[in-house]
Amino acid sequence: MSTSPPLPDNTACPRCGGGFHCGVEDGWCACFGTRLGEDLKRDLAARWPGQCLCLKCLTELARDDPGSHVPDVPRTGPPVPPF
Protein backbone atom coordinates (compact mmCIF):
# COMPACT_ATOMS: atom_id res chain seq x y z
CA MET A 1 0.00 0.00 0.00
CA SER A 2 1.48 3.37 -1.00
CA THR A 3 0.69 6.64 0.64
CA SER A 4 0.29 9.92 -1.14
CA PRO A 5 2.76 12.67 -0.35
CA PRO A 6 1.37 15.19 2.12
CA LEU A 7 -0.37 18.18 0.62
CA PRO A 8 1.38 21.52 1.01
CA ASP A 9 0.25 23.78 3.82
CA ASN A 10 -1.71 26.39 1.89
CA THR A 11 -2.93 28.47 4.80
CA ALA A 12 -0.58 31.37 3.97
CA CYS A 13 0.66 32.59 0.62
CA PRO A 14 4.45 32.11 0.36
CA ARG A 15 4.75 35.29 -1.73
CA CYS A 16 2.78 37.84 0.32
CA GLY A 17 2.17 35.98 3.60
CA GLY A 18 -1.58 36.55 3.40
CA GLY A 19 -3.96 33.84 4.50
CA PHE A 20 -5.92 31.82 1.97
CA HIS A 21 -7.26 28.35 1.27
CA CYS A 22 -6.28 26.41 -1.83
CA GLY A 23 -9.38 24.62 -3.03
CA VAL A 24 -7.80 22.28 -5.57
CA GLU A 25 -8.42 19.25 -3.33
CA ASP A 26 -12.00 20.47 -2.78
CA GLY A 27 -12.71 20.14 -6.49
CA TRP A 28 -12.90 23.87 -7.18
CA CYS A 29 -10.51 26.75 -6.56
CA ALA A 30 -10.80 30.43 -7.40
CA CYS A 31 -7.66 30.17 -9.53
CA PHE A 32 -9.22 27.68 -11.97
CA GLY A 33 -10.22 30.49 -14.37
CA THR A 34 -6.67 31.82 -14.56
CA ARG A 35 -4.46 30.33 -17.27
CA LEU A 36 -0.75 30.65 -16.57
CA GLY A 37 1.79 30.77 -19.38
CA GLU A 38 4.38 28.00 -19.54
CA ASP A 39 7.26 30.34 -18.60
CA LEU A 40 5.38 31.66 -15.58
CA LYS A 41 4.46 28.12 -14.46
CA ARG A 42 8.11 27.08 -14.60
CA ASP A 43 9.15 30.19 -12.66
CA LEU A 44 6.52 29.63 -9.95
CA ALA A 45 7.45 25.94 -9.62
CA ALA A 46 11.13 26.88 -9.21
CA ARG A 47 10.51 29.70 -6.73
CA TRP A 48 7.79 28.03 -4.65
CA PRO A 49 7.96 24.26 -5.29
CA GLY A 50 4.84 22.38 -4.28
CA GLN A 51 3.11 25.51 -3.01
CA CYS A 52 0.10 27.51 -4.09
CA LEU A 53 -0.08 31.28 -4.18
CA CYS A 54 -3.14 33.30 -3.23
CA LEU A 55 -5.39 34.51 -6.04
CA LYS A 56 -4.23 38.12 -5.59
CA CYS A 57 -0.58 37.17 -6.13
CA LEU A 58 -1.37 34.82 -9.02
CA THR A 59 -3.40 37.55 -10.69
CA GLU A 60 -0.64 40.14 -10.26
CA LEU A 61 1.98 37.80 -11.72
CA ALA A 62 -0.25 36.57 -14.55
CA ARG A 63 -1.27 40.08 -15.62
CA ASP A 64 2.41 40.88 -16.24
CA ASP A 65 2.96 37.67 -18.22
CA PRO A 66 2.08 37.78 -21.94
CA GLY A 67 1.49 34.00 -22.04
CA SER A 68 -1.09 34.07 -19.24
CA HIS A 69 -4.78 34.93 -19.16
CA VAL A 70 -6.64 36.37 -16.18
CA PRO A 71 -10.44 36.42 -16.42
CA ASP A 72 -12.18 39.75 -16.13
CA VAL A 73 -13.62 40.54 -12.73
CA PRO A 74 -17.41 40.20 -12.89
CA ARG A 75 -19.15 43.53 -12.84
CA THR A 76 -21.50 44.31 -10.02
CA GLY A 77 -24.68 46.27 -10.27
CA PRO A 78 -27.51 46.17 -12.77
CA PRO A 79 -26.78 45.10 -16.34
CA VAL A 80 -26.24 47.83 -18.90
CA PRO A 81 -29.00 47.80 -21.53
CA PRO A 82 -27.84 47.16 -25.12
CA PHE A 83 -27.89 50.07 -27.56
Side-chain angles (χ1 to χ4, degrees):
M1 173 189 261
S2 66
T3 59
S4 300
L7 294 173
D9 177 14
N10 290 315
T11 57
C13 176
R15 182 175 181 252
C16 71
F20 80 106
H21 171 76
C22 173
V24 72
E25 292 297 319
D26 301 337
W28 185 87
C29 189
C31 73
F32 284 1
T34 301
R35 287 190 316 253
L36 303 179
E38 292 303 314
D39 291 339
L40 180 57
K41 284 194 271 187
R42 279 191 293 276
D43 181 49
L44 295 177
R47 292 171 73 184
W48 298 289
Q51 294 181 291
C52 294
L53 274 60
C54 70
L55 188 59
K56 179 179 177 253
C57 284
L58 274 181
T59 299
E60 287 173 2
L61 294 167
R63 285 200 192 279
D64 292 336
D65 178 60
S68 297
H69 171 76
V70 178
D72 292 331
V73 176
R75 291 186 341 182
T76 58
V80 176
F83 292 103

